[in-house]
Amino acid sequence: QGSRMTGATWRNSGRSPGVIVASHALVEAAVLLQDVWGGEGAIVRRAILDKHVFVPPGARIGCNPEDDKRRFTMSPAGITVLGKGQTVPNP
């Protein structure tokens, strides 16, 4: 099973099989593991998303470090990390 990036922008990032990212989304300097779903217009920067993470349309990850620290785990290097099966809150 491959990945689908329909109309999404993908920069310096890695992805596993089953990743689906919708149109107008941006994935930059990130790693998306198996079966991650990214909604339309979502932004994922400097992040690692474990298997089965759901990113709703318009969500922002890696855009506001203070917001990310409250909602997710952040490494000392400033990489936002989402655990297996985690759902990102709607924007």
Side-chain angles (χ1 to χ4, degrees), residues 58-75:
R60 303 287 184 261
I61 299 169
C63 297
N64 182 328
E66 293 307 314
D67 189 36
D68 284 355
K69 284 179 189 176
R70 281 193 306 274
R71 300 183 305 158
F72 311 116
T73 300
M74 186 172 283
S75 77

Side-chain angles (χ1 to χ4, degrees), residues 46-69:
R46 292 181 44 85
I48 300 170
L49 280 56
D50 203 345
K51 296 177 181 180
H52 309 288
V53 169
F54 175 81
V55 182
R60 303 287 184 261
I61 299 169
C63 297
N64 182 328
E66 293 307 314
D67 189 36
D68 284 355
K69 284 179 189 176

Side-chain angles (χ1 to χ4, degrees), residues 2-3 10 17 20 29 31 35 46 50 54 66 78 84 87:
S3 300
W10 195 265
I20 297 173
V31 176
D35 297 326
R46 292 181 44 85
D50 203 345
F54 175 81
E66 293 307 314
K84 186 174 181 179
T87 297

Side-chain angles (χ1 to χ4, degrees), residues 5-89:
M5 307 290 143
T6 308
T9 300
W10 195 265
R11 296 184 189 136
N12 302 319
S13 298
R15 63 182 179 261
S16 294
V19 170
I20 297 173
V21 179
S23 62
H24 308 293
L26 170 64
V27 179
E28 185 172 44
V31 176
L32 280 55
L33 298 178
Q34 187 175 353
D35 297 326
V36 167
W37 187 88
E40 186 170 346
I43 296 175
V44 178
R45 280 193 179 116
R46 292 181 44 85
I48 300 170
L49 280 56
D50 203 345
K51 296 177 181 180
H52 309 288
V53 169
F54 175 81
V55 182
R60 303 287 184 261
I61 299 169
C63 297
N64 182 328
E66 293 307 314
D67 189 36
D68 284 355
K69 284 179 189 176
R70 281 193 306 274
R71 300 183 305 158
F72 311 116
T73 300
M74 186 172 283
S75 77
I79 305 297
T80 302
V81 180
L82 280 73
K84 186 174 181 179
Q86 188 168 353
T87 297
V88 177

